[in-house]
Amino acid sequence: MEKEFNKKLNHLTKVNLARYSTMRLKSWGYLYELESFHEARAVIQELKKQKRPYRLIGGGSNQLLSSWEEGVYLKLPKADLHLLSVDEKKMTLSCDASTTVNAVLQLAKKYSLGGFEVLTGIPATMGGVAFMNAGTSLGEFSSLVSFIEWIDGEGNICSKEFLTSDDRAKNFSYRKNHFCGEGEVITKMILKATSRDDALEEKITKYLNYRKETQPLSSKTCGCVFKNPAKEMPAGKLIDGANLKGVHVGDLFVSTLHANFMENRGEATYEDFVALVQVVKEEVFRKFHVELELEVKI
Ligand SMILES: Cc1cc2nc3c(=O)[nH]c(=O)nc-3n(C[C@H](O)[C@H](O)[C@H](O)COP(=O)(O)OP(=O)(O)OC[C@H]3O[C@@H](n4cnc5c(N)ncnc54)[C@H](O)[C@@H]3O)c2cc1C
């Protein structure tokens, strides 16, 4: 096993990374596709030994992959769907971190697991969602979490239970978790429904329809580019207020549907993204004296 992955690591060639992120920006880099979380542990330990930097890719819906000479992108393994299950009595759902939000929501609907609507429309893996504490205007991932297992920087298997709302508040905040650092790997989790909710399917459909009308969900984007500076001050409103809808650098446009999204309408590059972010930040600061902070990882 060790020999096999070492051989693979030492003979990587650069690949086009466009298909590994939802924004599909053109860039080239070394990519290692992991077969399992077990392999992730060994590969990360080897990369650390070689002092070679790496970055994890889950669904690639919240990160932009730049051309990278020094490091390796690690594409997390495909989901083990045998781990996707519901305990009806406890109202809990277990899954592997590579399971998609979509697969989780399908099962949640089947068992009327109330509270799961907070994840509606997030095109991601559950590991990415947990890492980012992703959420919508209906709520955040942290409201559901009951248990998480992850591999830390030294290759140790760690786990945490979240029994009270205090545990959740200490370990998660807006688009952040506070226990698993960048490069550590979430492997599996258990989520707990907040109630039994026979209207779950209806809630999900309604919210999804609303999102389709107000966000460019079929375009090549990375979701919201900037964090909301405050609850009552959404970044999209500020960008719209600065008249930036439709402004573009190359093929990358500030969406006309939702100003906090940027759409790759052709062959946009990572450099176009950096330049457009700069334009938006400067203009919003000039007009409102507010410093926008990136939500997407670059
Ligand atoms: C159309 C669209 C709509 C979106 N809507 C929303 C929304 O409503 N709410 C919201 O919060 N986000 C939204 N996003 C952003 C994105 O879906 C979330 O941030 C999501 O949590 C990212 O998950 P991912 O699996 O794609 O992770 P990636 O983008 O691959 O990675 C994001 C970060 O998580 C880390 N990571 C990924 N998997 C793991 C793992 N298993 N263990 C440890 N670290 C990991 C990566 O290293 C990286 O730092 C949207 C994106 C798009 C394209």
Side-chain angles (χ1 to χ4, degrees), residues 6 22 38 49 51-52 62 80 96 99 144 149 164 168 185 192 200 210 214 228 239 247 268 279:
N6 253 329
T22 52
H38 181 70
K49 211 162 87 192
K51 296 198 165 51
R52 216 168 156 190
N62 198 54
D80 178 354
D96 161 293
T99 310
L144 300 171
E149 182 189 276
T164 61
R168 295 184 188 106
V185 185
K192 188 164 170 54
L200 181 69
Y210 164 75
T214 54
N228 293 327
I239 300 166
V247 167
V279 169

Side-chain angles (χ1 to χ4, degrees), residues 29-31 52-55 68-73:
Y30 296 106
L31 181 108
R52 216 168 156 190
Y54 66 89
R55 271 191 47 197
W68 199 15
E69 277 305 323
E70 317 85 67
V72 181
Y73 288 105

Side-chain angles (χ1 to χ4, degrees), residues 12-13 15 17 20 29-33 57 72-75:
L12 290 178
T13 52
V15 298
L17 299 166
Y20 295 95
Y30 296 106
L31 181 108
Y32 188 108
E33 300 211 37
I57 309 178
V72 181
Y73 288 105
L74 293 181
K75 171 71 182 146

